[in-house]
Amino acid sequence: MIEFKTTKEPIEYQKALNDMEVRVAKIHEGLQPELLWFLQHHPVYTAGTSSNKRDLLNATRFPVHHVGRGGQYTYHGPGQRVVYTMLNLNKRGTDVRQFIRNLEQVVIETLAEFRITGERKNGRVGIWVKDGETEKKIAAIGIRIRHWITFHGISININPNLEHFAGIIPCGISEYGITSLKDQNVKCTMRDVDEVLKLYFNKIFKEID
């Protein structure tokens, strides 16, 4: 059975990484169940395995962590819902592309409940929304897999300080901006979003209870 865990106060990024590493090992050993961990971070920039140093525009503004997940630079901070997905693909199908598509679909369906149309875009990681004549990113996805156990996951911008993204070129894409539910004139709480996310995790990842 899957475990859902919510940490209310922002947590230091390195502590979350350490806890996630331990949990993934325990899942692999069959000692603990799968986990969906809902949390927020203190402001931090993270660099994935495809990151380019030139995309870090301000290296002193917030701590910078180099991590093993896929993707490039991203920002995490208060007002952004992060969900770390520690799931066992040995029993869910060892199809990485389908796993990522399922994560994307969870985000798309969740946004639709708040009357936001989220879309996949070829060549651009994450979920995007139309904003006037342009498009903006509202959710990021980055994962890592070890022994077919997944970790890292998704982040959705609910009401973060969008100016904090200015210290990086998010995901190496400079021609598009960043948005949030608040920026899209949606009034909701973190808990509101969590309840919908859980609904669609249950629906899309069939074995999750």
Side-chain angles (χ1 to χ4, degrees):
M1 178 180 291
I2 195 77
E3 178 184 349
F4 287 87
K5 174 183 175 181
T6 301
T7 301
K8 293 183 178 181
E9 297 300 320
I11 185 171
E12 292 292 344
Y13 189 77
Q14 189 59 53
K15 174 174 171 45
L17 283 186
N18 294 343
D19 289 354
M20 189 162 38
E21 290 273 358
V22 171
R23 185 57 172 255
V24 166
K26 295 293 186 182
I27 294 170
H28 174 61
E29 294 165 6
L31 299 176
Q32 288 188 322
E34 298 170 296
L35 175 67
L36 290 178
W37 187 10
F38 292 68
L39 69 152
Q40 301 176 73
H41 285 301
H42 294 292
V44 63
Y45 294 134
T46 71
T49 55
S50 302
S51 60
N52 189 317
K53 287 184 178 180
R54 68 186 179 192
D55 292 337
L56 179 60
L57 305 179
N58 187 338
T60 61
R61 184 170 189 178
F62 298 126
V64 180
H65 287 264
H66 293 266
V67 295
R69 61 156 177 79
Q72 303 185 48
Y73 279 100
T74 192
Y75 163 80
H76 293 309
Q80 182 189 73
R81 172 51 85 212
V82 173
V83 184
Y84 286 139
T85 57
M86 287 157 271
L87 301 177
N88 188 350
L89 296 189
N90 289 297
K91 67 179 185 178
R92 297 179 181 281
T94 54
D95 186 334
V96 177
R97 289 186 179 181
Q98 186 59 51
F99 174 68
I100 293 172
R101 286 191 66 83
N102 286 345
L103 289 179
E104 291 170 340
Q105 197 62 35
V106 167
V107 176
I108 289 169
E109 298 287 356
T110 297
L111 292 173
E113 293 288 333
F114 297 96
R115 299 185 178 181
I116 293 178
T117 301
E119 299 178 314
R120 302 176 179 92
K121 295 293 177 179
N122 289 334
R124 287 188 256 148
V125 179
I127 302 301
W128 301 76
V129 299
K130 292 182 179 179
D131 192 296
E133 298 298 317
T134 187
E135 295 165 347
K136 293 182 178 180
K137 189 172 187 176
I138 196 167
I141 296 173
I143 67 165
R144 186 177 181 184
I145 297 174
R146 182 185 298 151
H147 303 300
W148 291 110
I149 311 298
T150 69
F151 51 125
H152 297 280
I154 65 174
S155 61
I156 302 177
N157 298 329
I158 298 175
N159 59 354
N161 184 341
L162 296 180
E163 203 275 330
H164 286 180
F165 286 87
I168 57 172
I169 297 177
C171 299
I173 301 172
S174 59
E175 59 267 42
Y176 299 96
I178 301 292
T179 191
S180 66
L181 275 79
K182 181 180 179 180
D183 193 48
Q184 296 296 311
N185 299 313
V186 173
K187 294 182 179 180
C188 64
T189 66
M190 192 76 69
R191 183 174 180 178
D192 293 335
V193 176
D194 286 353
E195 291 305 310
V196 181
L197 281 169
K198 290 175 183 178
L199 172 68
Y200 284 104
F201 268 113
N202 278 321
K203 182 177 180 180
I204 292 168
F205 291 89
K206 299 300 184 182
E207 288 195 27
I208 295 179
D209 296 323

